[in-house]
Amino acid sequence: MLPPGALGHSGDDGWLWVHVNLADARVAPYLRAHVPDLPKAALDLLLSVGDRQQLHADDACVYGVFADLVYRLEGLSDELGLLHFVATEKLLITGRRDGLHSIEAVRKSLRSGQNPKNHTALLESIFMQVTTGVEEKSEAISDELDFIEERLIVDLEDDIPKRLAKCRRLAVRLHRLLSTQRSVIGRFEQNAWQTTGKAHVLKTSHIAQRLDWLDHEMVALRDRAHLLQEEVSLRMTDQTNRNLQLLTIVTTVFLPAGVISSIFGMNVGGLPLEHDRSGFIVTMLLLIGASGLVSTS
């Protein structure tokens, strides 16, 4: 934990970025006690557990919630997490409950020597890293669909429907994510001009353009996955019909034989050929002849 008062002293010309783990029970009491002049609505949203994306601006700060892909030890996952943030004139506070791709990417860029000129530039960089993670996933979906399409040309294998469903589900989720983020930024751009504070000089036009482009790509991938699912469904239906046709033929061929064997298998007196030594041969000839007659008709 930072010492008390550290969040209120970033220097006359400096600024401070603080990233916290909101799953830590000590974070909420510390921020409520030591963050100076932070609006209650912004602090409440920063510490909230809601899952609705939003972006607000008032005279004191910019604050909101943005979704991002979760980053695990093995790399970028398909799960979604939430980034909570508040940006005042000289302070940027971000928080998460899961490891996020955007934060990890920004950390790496800072360690490599990149130096954003202010806290809003850093927040813009975080937003752009969110879109970068989605772009990586869109490329992975495209490569997976290419692979599935190549295999479909050869044959329909058992694992293709499951892999295709996974691709389409991820494309739908990411499309929903991107469209929501674009809507959130659009509302922010409409409302931000009404405020007069210095904290919200947040440039979002380039982020909105990138979201629009990515959403267009994601819709194309979603539609492509849908078309491939339709092709798989048609092939599965055709394969089922062939199996049913074969089953019908087999059942039809052996139906007369089943009827004859049932008749001669009854435990009643007076059956023909019961005491004839050639009865078995005659019965087999009847069975074969009836099956052959049905199969040629």
Side-chain angles (χ1 to χ4, degrees), residues 264 272-286:
F264 282 95
L273 306 176
E274 182 178 6
H275 302 290
D276 193 335
R277 296 179 59 87
S278 61
F280 175 76
I281 296 175
V282 173
T283 304
M284 291 301 298
L285 291 175
L286 286 174

Side-chain angles (χ1 to χ4, degrees), residues 2 8-9 11 42 62 64 66 112 117 131 147 150 164 178 183 247 251 281 283 285:
L2 291 172
H9 298 82
V62 172
F66 233 56
S112 65
K117 60 182 179 179
T131 64
F147 178 74
E150 289 286 342
L164 193 53
L178 293 169
S183 176
L247 180 62
T251 303
I281 296 175
T283 304
L285 291 175

Side-chain angles (χ1 to χ4, degrees), residues 106-146:
V106 168
R107 280 176 176 167
K108 290 180 180 178
S109 68
L110 293 177
R111 289 168 183 164
S112 65
Q114 296 187 19
N115 186 21
K117 60 182 179 179
N118 53 45
H119 64 296
T120 53
L122 179 60
L123 186 58
E124 292 168 18
S125 178
I126 292 174
F127 288 165
M128 289 300 292
Q129 290 298 339
V130 172
T131 64
T132 300
V134 175
E135 185 176 4
E136 289 182 20
K137 280 298 174 184
S138 70
E139 292 174 355
I141 294 173
S142 179
D143 292 341
E144 179 73 358
L145 292 178
D146 289 342

